[in-house]
Amino acid sequence: MGRITARKPVLTLSVEGGERRRPDTLAVEEPLEIRVGGSPLAVTMRTPGSDVELAAGFLVSEGVVRAAGEFAGAIHCGGPGTGGEDNTYNVLDVTLAAGVRPPDPDLARSFYTTSSCGVCGKASIEAVETVSAFDPSLDPMTIALDALAALPARLREGQAVFDKTGGLHAAALFDAATGELLVLREDVGRHNAVDKVVGWAVLNDRLPLTGVVLQVSGRASFELVQKAAMAGIPMLAAVSAPSSLAVDLADARGVSLIGFSRGATLNVYTRADRVVAHLPAAVGA
């Protein structure tokens, strides 16, 4: 999609004197209205691209979709309020599979938000525990410390649009056993980037996301831990700090929460048993 980046004029000034006018490449930010069965559900500001994944991941975080077969499909449609407008690709209508309960009308948030906000209006650990279909605490995954510490650099290497704009968050899923990068997505909103990788899992029938690490480029908020728990992800690693409520939720849901993962050091806030200095050799190896 060509609207991921845009060129805008910029005036560069120096305190040492001089100025320069040039075009600058910026990350595009546009609204996406998510509808379910034609009914508006939410509006989020996002970087265009992987919109179907974003919507699917968002519905997982809201407890609406719990398996690939429950998400029947999605289609971009014209602008809100008209039946014949040109398609702006900023409205996406999701179709759920037959028998899947549609979102509760109380969840509808057809208003401006700065990013997909996950648990806005129901931000409590008890609410997350009530609606989650998966239990990350039961996941026996482990990962070697050196492999875990290397993930932020591998995430950064894959941020193609960030290289051009310097203005996008990123999220990626790595297989804890093999180190394989499964999927990486960028977005102007950190929550949207996570929704996109979870949505990838929905579309590829990978829920629950057992045995993986979710690596993110920014801080670890309560909402990101919530999204990880709702998708069954056992480990969330961030290059920056977690919030206190993020740690509380990770502890309650059995998610390993890693913060300040930079270079050779990192902080393990919950479920440290999953991080080992050296993994034992495989039987028969």
Side-chain angles (χ1 to χ4, degrees):
M1 183 177 295
R3 296 183 296 121
I4 295 176
T5 62
R7 301 278 281 177
K8 300 290 184 179
V10 62
L11 172 63
T12 301
L13 302 175
S14 171
V15 295
E16 298 176 350
E19 62 181 54
R20 183 164 64 101
R21 297 181 183 275
R22 60 182 177 84
D24 194 19
T25 300
L26 304 177
V28 169
E29 182 177 28
E30 293 184 355
L32 176 68
E33 178 182 317
I34 300 173
R35 301 177 181 176
V36 177
S39 298
L41 176 64
V43 176
T44 183
M45 300 303 296
R46 97 303 188 194
T47 300
S50 304
D51 287 345
V52 176
E53 292 178 347
L54 192 161
F58 178 81
L59 292 174
V60 170
S61 72
E62 294 294 344
V64 177
V65 169
R66 304 184 179 196
E70 297 181 351
F71 188 90
I75 186 171
H76 284 98
C77 48
T82 68
E85 289 185 2
D86 291 338
N87 196 335
T88 62
Y89 297 96
N90 284 335
V91 179
L92 188 75
D93 195 4
V94 173
T95 300
L96 300 177
V100 177
R101 183 188 298 273
D104 190 303
D106 290 340
L107 288 180
R109 295 194 290 270
S110 53
F111 51 79
Y112 174 91
T113 56
T114 55
S115 66
S116 175
C117 56
V119 291
C120 298
K122 52 182 176 65
S124 70
I125 292 174
E126 291 78 11
V128 175
E129 292 176 333
T130 299
V131 299
S132 181
F134 310 117
D135 187 355
S137 69
L138 301 178
D139 195 319
M141 66 85 74
T142 56
I143 186 170
L145 174 58
D146 56 351
L148 178 60
L151 296 186
R154 295 182 61 191
L155 177 72
R156 179 65 185 85
E157 289 172 1
Q159 291 184 254
V161 184
F162 182 89
D163 288 338
K164 299 177 182 178
T165 66
L168 289 180
H169 293 282
L173 293 173
F174 292 90
D175 185 288
T178 66
E180 177 188 0
L181 170 61
L182 301 175
V183 62
L184 186 152
R185 294 290 183 264
E186 295 179 275
D187 198 277
V188 70
R190 63 171 59 88
H191 304 118
N192 294 336
V194 171
D195 278 339
K196 287 178 178 181
V197 300
V198 172
W200 170 88
V202 174
L203 301 182
N204 288 275
D205 198 13
R206 297 288 296 259
L207 291 183
L209 277 164
T210 57
V212 302
V213 179
L214 172 60
Q215 177 70 54
V216 297
S217 59
R219 62 185 179 86
S221 64
F222 175 88
E223 289 84 2
L224 296 195
V225 176
Q226 178 253 351
K227 290 177 183 295
M230 292 295 289
I233 296 172
M235 182 175 289
L236 168 62
V239 300
S240 193
S243 69
S244 62
L245 194 58
V247 174
D248 290 344
L249 178 59
D251 186 52
R253 297 297 295 141
V255 174
S256 296
L257 182 58
I258 315 298
F260 294 105
S261 183
R262 304 169 182 174
T265 64
L266 51 82
N267 292 347
V268 184
Y269 292 89
T270 58
R271 286 299 301 267
D273 58 295
R274 291 191 174 118
V275 182
V276 294
H278 299 285
L279 288 177
V283 176

